[in-house]
Amino acid sequence: GLAISDQAVFSGANFITSILLAKWLSGEDLGEFAVGLAILTFFMQVYTSFTLEPIGVLAPSGYRDRMIPYLRGQVQLLFFLSVPLGLLLGMIVLVHRLLNGNSDITSILLFSAVSLPFILLPLLMRRVFYVLLKPGFALVGSVIYFLGLLLIFYFAKRFWVLTGANS
């Protein structure tokens, strides 16, 4: 029950956010958002394949006696991976800016670089709670994620800073 509720809340948060953005953003801004989302989805899939999926298998089987240090190491690994990826995106932004001047895509890439660790952290923490057999904590985290997304986008819209480049 809790795991299904967690999945519903987490997926529902992303779905509702997409619906609100489609309603609030202009067609051009929505296109920029789609480019940013595609970039982030690529990095999320790489991270999921190389980190999250192995956690579900290796933690319970190979690290049963050292579970907490292993999972703590995975949280550290998130930042050790996402910071260089963010720097790589930042360098791409710099090269693009030097070659083409400032454009919407540079803003999208810059925002993606900065937000990457914060987008990957909820995915990791949900997996950690499932490995620890604590789906209720994953559900609480998903509710916090949902409320956080709603607040961020509400205030961004309210103060007219919501564009495709930063959503």
Side-chain angles (χ1 to χ4, degrees), residues 46-68:
V46 170
Y47 180 73
T48 298
S49 298
F50 289 109
T51 305
L52 293 184
E53 292 301 327
I55 287 173
V57 175
L58 295 176
S61 62
Y63 294 92
R64 184 173 293 134
D65 299 332
R66 303 179 313 267
M67 182 83 70
I68 299 301

Side-chain angles (χ1 to χ4, degrees), residues 72-164:
R72 188 177 301 124
Q74 293 301 314
V75 174
Q76 292 170 344
L77 180 65
L78 165 72
F79 291 100
F80 288 137
L81 289 175
S82 62
V83 168
L85 286 175
L87 291 173
L88 174 66
L89 279 174
M91 289 189 313
I92 292 169
V93 168
L94 178 62
V95 169
H96 188 274
R97 203 174 265 176
L98 289 173
L99 296 175
N100 301 317
N102 196 13
S103 67
D104 290 336
I105 193 69
T106 57
S107 299
I108 292 166
L109 289 172
L110 184 60
F111 187 77
S112 297
V114 171
S115 64
L116 188 62
F118 303 105
I119 291 172
L120 295 177
L121 184 61
L123 296 173
L124 173 63
M125 295 314 298
R126 288 179 70 225
R127 185 64 53 105
V128 165
F129 290 134
Y130 282 117
V131 167
L132 294 173
L133 301 176
K134 307 247 185 228
F137 288 168
L139 175 58
V140 169
S142 292
V143 169
I144 291 169
Y145 172 77
F146 186 28
L147 295 174
L149 277 180
L150 289 178
L151 284 173
I152 287 167
F153 286 115
Y154 170 77
F155 284 115
K157 171 141 176 49
R158 178 138 169 86
F159 295 108
W160 301 102
V161 294
L162 184 63
T163 66

